[in-house]
Amino acid sequence: MRVLVDTNVVVSALLFPQSVPAQALEHAAEHAELVLTPWVLDELREVISRKAPQAGGCLETWLAKTRFELLVGALPGPVMRDADDQPILDVALAGAVDVIVTGDKDFLVLTLEQPLIVTPREYLDRFADPRY
C-alpha cells in the first residue's frame, strides 16, 4: 500500500511525538510504502523554519533515517479549493498512491475513490487494526 503523508501530519508528528499524527506516520513508515513529494518536502522545511526552527534538526534527521519514495510527475486531478495543494494531489494521482493521510480540510472534502483521503485517526482505525 502506497501512503502519502501531508505536511501537517509530519509537522505534528515531529513536534508532538506521542500524538495521533506521530502514530499514523510511524505506522505508515513501518507497514506501508511511504511516499512524499518535492512540494511536501519544501513545505516541511519552510513551515518548520518559520514555526518551529528548533525542530529543523529533527526534520533532517527524520528525513535521513526514513525510507520513502519521492514522487514526481503529475496527472491533473479535480480542482482543489487551495491551489497550493493541487500539486500534491496531482502527483498522488500520477504515482498511484492508495492513501493520503492529512488533516487538511481542502483534501478531506474531496470525494475520490482513489486515493482514499483520511485523517491520521481514520488511518490508524482502518490500517493499524491488528486484523489487517
Side-chain angles (χ1 to χ4, degrees), residues 23-43:
Q23 293 170 39
L25 181 60
E26 182 179 342
H27 186 276
E30 290 179 10
H31 300 284
E33 189 176 331
L34 188 62
V35 175
L36 298 174
T37 74
W39 294 274
V40 167
L41 290 178
D42 290 345
E43 189 176 40

Side-chain angles (χ1 to χ4, degrees), residues 1-5 23-36 67-69 71 92 95-101 113-120 122-129 131-132:
M1 178 172 65
R2 296 165 60 75
V3 177
L4 186 150
V5 291
Q23 293 170 39
L25 181 60
E26 182 179 342
H27 186 276
E30 290 179 10
H31 300 284
E33 189 176 331
L34 188 62
V35 175
L36 298 174
R67 198 179 60 160
F68 61 88
E69 178 182 353
L71 272 185
V97 166
D98 298 299
V99 179
I100 296 175
V101 182
E113 289 186 30
Q114 186 80 12
L116 176 66
I117 301 172
V118 296
T119 66
E122 291 168 331
Y123 174 83
L124 289 172
D125 289 347
R126 286 184 85 145
F127 301 106
D129 187 311
R131 296 175 293 181
Y132 296 105

Side-chain angles (χ1 to χ4, degrees), residues 71-130:
L71 272 185
V72 295
L75 287 175
V79 176
M80 305 232 3
R81 295 187 310 196
D82 182 352
D84 290 341
D85 292 329
Q86 193 70 51
I88 298 167
L89 177 62
D90 294 347
V91 168
L93 292 169
V97 166
D98 298 299
V99 179
I100 296 175
V101 182
T102 183
D104 187 330
K105 288 181 172 69
D106 292 315
F107 277 102
L108 295 170
V109 298
L110 296 174
T111 54
L112 300 176
E113 289 186 30
Q114 186 80 12
L116 176 66
I117 301 172
V118 296
T119 66
R121 168 54 48 209
E122 291 168 331
Y123 174 83
L124 289 172
D125 289 347
R126 286 184 85 145
F127 301 106
D129 187 311

Side-chain angles (χ1 to χ4, degrees), residues 7-31:
T7 304
N8 57 67
V9 175
V10 179
V11 169
S12 294
L14 289 173
L15 296 179
F16 307 102
Q18 303 304 316
S19 66
V20 169
Q23 293 170 39
L25 181 60
E26 182 179 342
H27 186 276
E30 290 179 10
H31 300 284

Side-chain angles (χ1 to χ4, degrees), residues 42-53:
D42 290 345
E43 189 176 40
L44 273 170
R45 288 184 172 111
E46 187 276 322
V47 168
I48 290 291
S49 70
R50 184 170 35 87
K51 292 189 173 188

